Amino acid sequence: MRIYNTLTGKKEEFVPVEPGKVKMYACGVTVYDNCHIGHARSAVVFDVMRRYFKYKGYDFRYVRNFTDIDDKIINRAKQDGIAWNEVAEKYIDAYYRDMDTLGIGRADVEPKATEHIREIIDIVKGLVDKGHAYEAEGSVYFEVQKFSEYGKLSKRDLDDMLAGARVDVDERKKNPMDFALWKASKQGEPAWESPWGLGRPGWHIECSAMSLKHLGETFDIHGGGADLIFPHHENEIAQSEAYTGKPFVKYWVHNGFITVDKEKMSKSLGNFFTIQEILNKFDAEVIRFFLLSTHYRSPIEFSDEQLREAEASIDRYYTTVLRTRDFLSQDQSKDKTNPEEKNLEDLLTKFTEKFSAAMDDDFNTALAIGNIFELIRVVNKYLDGKPSGKKSSEMIAKTNDLIMETGSVLNIFNRTPEEWYRALMKVKNIGLSEEDIQMQINERKSAREAKDWAKADAVRKELEDKGIILEDKKDGTGWKVRV
RNA sequence: GGCGGCGUACCCAAGUGGCUAAGGGGGAGGUCUGCAAAACCUUUAUGCAGCGGUUCAAAUCCGCUCGCCGCCUCCA
């Protein structure tokens, strides 16, 4: 496997710290508001990495945190007139609601900052003892000048940063780039006892503390959005390595942003779409597919048009499943083949290999999806040749199995066509029940038998106006939701 | 200003030294069909922002130019 490592700026062969085991930490969210599609991207990307490592047979341990104490949470609490921990709880619930819907699995450990105050204090104390940090008016700062490798992740130089720095001038700091490990709390703010008085942890220290506790001093993969490279991950490296004296993380992986009109989607610009808003218009599988159809490090331009294309692609898949299922239910007593058989057979033989090759190359989900659609095209072509017999049913069944298997790594393509159409009916507000549709189909069937084409076409038109497309097949009429 | 990234067809998007430049969406024509739909076939990039260079060979490596974006402040 090759993974792009932000630290070295190259794709590298993945060699775990311990053979057969992978330990990954991904920065979760600060729980002060609803998640937007950008948060979903990060969550989906790391979820797929986890699924793929497990698919490859690794013993995988995944930690994803919640930042549940921070300025934004405190501000939100003031604004809403509730306690800070109620804010955190509320948005943790919202996070789970969204991520569960999107098919993002839970991490093995989901630690919260406030549950690791003891560990945080221990590290801060250790850093002070080692001379890497200093106390000033009840706060503790990390002294960046004392960590010679500061800037190695974000590839910047301390002097350059200071030159045009847009950093708050703070008289208590020895150097403007020094950052808070521990913050003295103001009156009325949440606070914990510490050797430096009442206070709360700085932002970066929690991830060092929680990863150290749950994954150890050195672990394999640490990830998050590309905007966390500096200062968050840079600071984590400084704290952790200064504290343990050991390398912190082997591979740093960062996902790209979602953009709107080419600009980064962000809270401050106000150009964001929440997961809930998008779920009102599109099914969760569509969102997932959309996010995985571009490589995780590239930017993705968000638009309804893009989501509609993703929806059409998924629909193509389920339409094919329906077709293979119809085929498998047919009489297979006669052996009949066609020239496409060889192509399909070859592709089936090397399909998982191609899938793995794509995923092994820095999790190229876009290519993997392309491979799946190649198989879909070949199987459709094969079915057009009207094959029959034991061998063809086996090949068709294998096709379905392989797509399900690889789809499960991406967590897409894992429903029945009926479930997909039901989901579409819901999201597109089709004002008809499945029974209504079946009744119309029956009515049209009588008309067709009587060769009353005008009547038959009228029924079809009526359904089409409501978003239901009919498909006449050899042994009956099927329906689907127009995408 | 410093650092980093991107620019592939009408749109989205893989490909990063050598087989006809994946795949999806859209358009046009066709096969099938009572007519449709779906599916399939043909077609839509002799060319990968532009210009030079390295090489037997480049979308892929190097240089320059243009354009877009990100980080440098909280941010997935």
Side-chain angles (χ1 to χ4, degrees):
Chain A
M1 272 179 93
R2 288 161 58 76
I3 299 181
Y4 182 85
N5 188 350
T6 307
L7 191 60
T8 57
K10 300 195 271 267
K11 277 189 206 172
E12 292 174 20
E13 186 59 34
F14 178 72
V15 182
V17 176
E18 272 180 80
K21 287 189 181 173
V22 181
K23 294 176 183 171
M24 179 167 90
Y25 185 98
C27 286
V29 292
T30 301
V31 279
Y32 74 103
D33 204 350
N34 284 309
C35 289
H36 60 62
I37 183 79
H39 299 110
R41 182 180 196 188
S42 195
V44 165
V45 161
F46 292 105
D47 182 56
V48 166
M49 288 182 191
R50 179 256 297 272
R51 285 171 193 269
Y52 187 61
F53 276 115
K54 287 199 161 181
Y55 172 81
K56 295 268 282 190
Y58 283 98
D59 176 357
F60 193 84
R61 185 167 168 85
Y62 180 29
V63 178
R64 185 186 55 207
N65 72 298
F66 285 110
T67 298
D68 64 342
I69 181 65
D70 147 284
D71 287 347
K72 285 189 293 251
I73 295 172
I74 294 169
N75 290 339
R76 182 78 193 218
K78 277 185 201 153
Q79 192 187 315
D80 293 1
I82 53 176
W84 66 272
N85 52 329
E86 284 179 69
V87 172
E89 260 169 57
K90 178 178 168 188
Y91 291 108
I92 286 173
D93 287 349
Y95 178 88
Y96 281 133
R97 173 197 63 199
D98 291 348
M99 298 305 163
D100 288 351
T101 309
L102 290 176
I104 291 154
R106 304 287 169 107
D108 299 301
V109 187
E110 304 194 328
K112 299 183 183 83
T114 56
E115 291 169 354
H116 294 74
I117 300 293
R118 188 84 322 181
E119 289 84 350
I120 289 169
I121 289 172
D122 285 346
I123 295 175
V124 176
K125 228 191 299 184
L127 286 169
V128 172
D129 291 347
K130 290 183 183 205
H132 276 286
Y134 56 93
E135 189 264 332
E137 296 175 31
S139 292
V140 181
Y141 298 95
F142 185 88
E143 192 167 357
V144 291
Q145 299 276 21
K146 294 268 180 74
F147 187 73
S148 61
E149 291 182 299
Y150 193 76
K152 67 177 173 180
L153 181 70
S154 55
K155 314 272 187 288
R156 37 192 111 208
D157 186 86
L158 256 183
D159 297 334
D160 289 347
M161 279 189 276
L162 289 171
R166 290 184 283 171
V167 200
D168 288 343
V169 180
D170 187 333
E171 294 304 321
R172 291 167 296 187
K173 293 183 186 178
K174 291 187 185 176
N175 181 309
M177 297 309 295
D178 289 351
F179 56 90
L181 297 169
W182 186 261
K183 292 174 149 177
S185 52
K186 300 190 193 98
Q187 194 61 37
E189 280 183 356
W192 287 263
E193 294 277 359
S194 83
W196 315 281
L198 286 175
R200 59 190 164 93
W203 174 34
H204 317 294
I205 194 67
E206 61 174 84
C207 288
S208 291
M210 294 187 282
S211 59
L212 177 65
K213 178 172 181 182
H214 301 289
L215 296 175
E217 292 181 329
T218 300
F219 56 95
D220 301 290
I221 299 174
H222 192 133
D227 45 7
L228 298 181
I229 295 170
F230 190 89
H232 186 52
H233 289 161
E234 193 69 70
N235 291 354
E236 277 187 54
I237 292 175
Q239 297 160 349
S240 299
E241 298 193 348
Y243 180 67
T244 67
K246 301 201 175 111
F248 178 40
V249 168
K250 245 183 133 174
Y251 304 92
W252 285 92
V253 294
H254 294 96
N255 64 274
F257 303 124
I258 298 207
T259 59
V260 175
D261 295 329
K262 294 270 187 175
E263 265 184 327
K264 180 188 170 188
M265 184 184 286
S266 74
K267 292 260 175 179
S268 47
L269 284 169
N271 60 346
F272 60 90
F273 293 83
T274 64
I275 295 169
Q276 284 298 311
E277 282 170 329
I278 301 165
L279 282 170
N280 282 331
K281 291 160 89 173
F282 294 97
D283 183 72
E285 189 175 358
V286 173
I287 298 175
R288 231 183 132 94
F289 184 98
F290 161 72
L291 294 172
L292 294 173
S293 57
T294 300
H295 185 89
Y296 76 90
R297 283 189 283 115
S298 305
I300 306 184
E301 172 72 12
F302 177 86
S303 70
D304 275 16
E305 177 57 29
Q306 298 275 54
L307 285 162
R308 248 180 273 122
E309 287 186 10
E311 186 174 71
S313 298
I314 298 172
D315 196 64
R316 175 166 160 80
Y317 165 71
Y318 284 112
T319 302
T320 304
V321 173
L322 216 47
R323 203 176 168 207
T324 60
R325 214 170 54 185
D326 286 348
F327 171 81
L328 290 172
S329 66
Q330 282 162 18
D331 173 37
Q332 302 289 340
S333 55
K334 261 189 304 200
D335 278 326
K336 184 169 171 288
T337 183
N338 65 59
E340 265 319 298
E341 185 177 286
K342 179 97 175 54
N343 274 343
L344 179 58
E345 204 172 10
D346 287 352
L347 190 52
L348 289 174
T349 310
K350 58 188 185 194
F351 184 73
T352 46
E353 209 176 293
K354 288 181 78 168
F355 175 78
S356 291
M359 293 298 285
D360 277 350
D361 186 12
D362 198 26
F363 308 101
N364 195 338
T365 54
L367 181 58
I369 289 172
N371 292 157
I372 292 175
F373 278 100
E374 182 191 13
L375 177 57
I376 287 172
R377 196 191 70 242
V378 172
V379 79
N380 269 313
K381 198 170 172 181
Y382 177 64
L383 288 173
D384 272 7
K386 301 196 177 2
S388 149
K390 187 160 177 280
K391 185 169 182 189
S392 39
S393 353
E394 278 170 7
M395 287 203 302
I396 295 303
K398 183 163 186 210
T399 301
N400 282 335
D401 290 349
L402 286 177
I403 296 180
M404 290 284 274
E405 180 190 320
T406 50
S408 75
V409 173
L410 307 175
N411 205 10
I412 54 175
F413 299 157
N414 49 9
R415 293 187 281 183
T416 64
E418 287 74 17
E419 285 168 332
W420 167 246
Y421 294 131
R422 267 181 224 128
L424 283 179
M425 284 174 85
K426 202 170 152 197
V427 92
K428 291 183 180 295
N429 297 314
I430 304 288
L432 291 168
S433 69
E434 291 174 59
E435 290 72 30
D436 292 338
I437 295 166
Q438 204 48 56
M439 272 168 56
Q440 299 267 60
I441 288 175
N442 292 340
E443 199 180 315
R444 179 164 168 275
K445 188 175 176 223
S446 314
R448 292 183 77 212
E449 278 162 359
K451 298 215 186 299
D452 183 353
W453 306 126
K455 174 84 187 297
D457 291 351
V459 173
R460 187 168 65 196
K461 182 72 172 46
E462 197 188 322
L463 284 172
E464 196 185 334
D465 289 344
K466 289 176 180 163
I468 299 296
I469 306 271
L470 297 187
E471 290 182 13
D472 293 329
K473 292 182 272 196
K474 200 173 276 173
D475 42 8
T477 297
W479 61 270
K480 55 186 283 183
V481 180
R482 187 177 55 208
V483 296

